[in-house]
Amino acid sequence: MNGIFGGLSMVLTNGNEIFNNARKGKYAVGAFNINDLEWTRGILAAAQETQTPILVQTSMGAAKYMGGYELCLHLVQDTIKSMGITVPVVMHLDHGNYEAAKECIEVGYNSVMFDGHDLPFDENLEKTKEIVKLAHAKGISVEAEVGSIGGTEDGITGAGELADVEEAKTLAATGVDYLAVGIGNIHGVYPENWQGLSFDRLKELADVIDTPLVLHGGSGIPKEQIIKAISMGISKVNVNTELQLAFAKATREYIEAGHDQDVDAKGYDPRKLLAPGTKAITDTTIERIKWFGTPSI
């Protein structure tokens, strides 16, 4: 392996070098949520096909659904091995609270997000410092958040406010490895009256913070806005809803075509029933990797 990823191991790794390189190179690396085995295989297949580094992440809710953080970590580790994945992969906790972040550090995730945006800023700051200390002692990357991301994620609803520049500078100074910022983005499906990203606020943030910046709610933002945000300092783009919609659409088409009722072909077999949705996850992930301009290894 050579080039900008020449120093990275071909196993699970933390996100430091990957996202620092992205910030310097004015491209982004995608962060894709997993929800089960199909999601894991579909996303990793896209990374391998494009020969690009990738971040896979579990929300607290998805991890609970899948059987816990340790199971999720082992699922990703074992899938990497069974599929012969050779590109760098970061295993990340998405929108974790204080307890979840500490648990994932103990379990062995490579990267954790402590999301303290709904706490008083002083408390968010102090707990972020504690998580940074615990994580960095084990070589684990840390993401923090300033400014609420709109929409709802695991029952936590944000109004999509703009990150305060001084608060963002203070949080970045804790030594976090990447910082999620509110610039008008939301989780879930964007409403028709959405006003778009605030590039003015993004410029203010990027001008004073060298830390790689994170764009949450990447599903549904127009391609041209994502590309512009990346050119201005966004180094990590989160994608979840887009994959869910792609999976649901492909699965619906399979069922509406009656393939699941083809007894002779055993179209009801879950391996066949879930295959179109899994392929849709891979195809959508590849499309987003190209949007983000992630270079191959």
Side-chain angles (χ1 to χ4, degrees):
M1 186 173 55
N2 50 44
I4 57 177
F5 300 117
L8 291 172
S9 169
M10 293 294 90
V11 294
L12 283 172
T13 182
N14 69 29
N16 295 4
E17 187 173 352
I18 289 174
F19 292 100
N20 283 330
N21 286 340
R23 178 73 192 264
K24 293 173 185 175
K26 296 186 182 300
Y27 60 84
V29 174
F32 300 90
N33 288 67
I34 60 173
N35 294 281
D36 58 21
L37 176 62
E38 279 68 38
W39 251 259
T40 305
R41 289 183 61 84
I43 292 167
L44 290 176
Q48 186 68 18
E49 183 173 332
T50 56
Q51 284 291 286
T52 55
I54 202 162
L55 183 147
V56 295
Q57 56 190 13
T58 55
S59 66
M60 293 190 296
K64 181 179 180 180
Y65 167 76
M66 293 168 68
Y69 299 114
E70 188 171 13
L71 186 153
C72 292
L73 175 61
H74 290 171
L75 172 64
V76 172
Q77 289 174 323
D78 293 345
T79 304
I80 288 171
K81 182 178 179 180
S82 69
M83 292 180 68
I85 301 299
T86 59
V87 297
V89 180
V90 182
M91 180 68 183
H92 180 73
L93 169 67
D94 185 30
H95 287 287
N97 61 24
Y98 182 67
E99 290 73 21
K102 288 199 298 182
E103 183 175 349
C104 287
I105 290 168
E106 289 301 313
V107 165
Y109 274 48
N110 308 100
S111 181
V112 298
M113 178 185 186
F114 166 58
D115 181 359
H117 82 266
D118 57 339
L119 302 173
F121 181 72
D122 287 346
E123 185 177 355
N124 183 11
L125 180 63
E126 289 308 309
K127 287 189 173 179
T128 297
K129 288 179 180 177
E130 292 180 39
I131 294 299
V132 167
K133 183 178 179 180
L134 291 171
H136 284 183
K138 296 189 174 186
I140 297 169
S141 301
V142 178
E143 176 181 346
E145 180 173 322
V146 59
S148 174
I149 310 300
T152 300
E153 182 90 353
D154 280 349
I156 300 174
T157 301
E161 66 193 45
L162 302 182
D164 180 274
V165 176
E166 289 304 314
E167 288 185 354
K169 284 174 60 179
T170 302
L171 209 55
T174 64
V176 294
D177 302 288
Y178 18 91
L179 183 65
V181 292
I183 53 172
N185 43 318
I186 68 171
H187 291 120
V189 178
Y190 282 77
E192 291 184 5
N193 63 349
W194 180 58
Q195 300 300 305
L197 297 178
S198 172
F199 294 108
D200 289 343
R201 181 54 51 90
L202 176 56
K203 184 178 187 307
E204 291 180 86
L205 293 163
D207 282 349
V208 296
I209 297 171
D210 293 328
T211 306
L213 302 178
V214 182
L215 180 65
H216 282 249
S219 299
I221 299 175
K223 178 180 179 180
E224 62 273 13
Q225 290 196 35
I226 287 180
I227 291 173
K228 182 175 180 179
I230 291 169
S231 74
M232 296 174 65
I234 292 294
S235 309
K236 173 177 177 277
V237 182
N238 283 26
V239 180
N240 183 19
T241 303
E242 206 96 61
L243 299 187
Q244 294 180 353
L245 292 171
F247 182 89
K249 180 176 183 291
T251 304
R252 177 181 294 276
E253 289 173 351
Y254 179 88
I255 292 173
E256 289 182 343
H259 296 311
D260 61 313
Q261 296 178 355
D262 187 340
V263 177
D264 293 334
K266 293 187 177 180
Y268 51 81
D269 185 321
R271 289 168 292 183
K272 294 184 177 181
L273 178 65
L274 298 174
T278 304
K279 183 178 185 302
I281 290 171
T282 299
D283 291 345
T284 304
T285 302
I286 289 173
E287 181 183 52
R288 292 303 178 270
I289 288 170
K290 293 177 179 177
W291 282 20
F292 304 157
T294 315
S296 59
I297 59 174

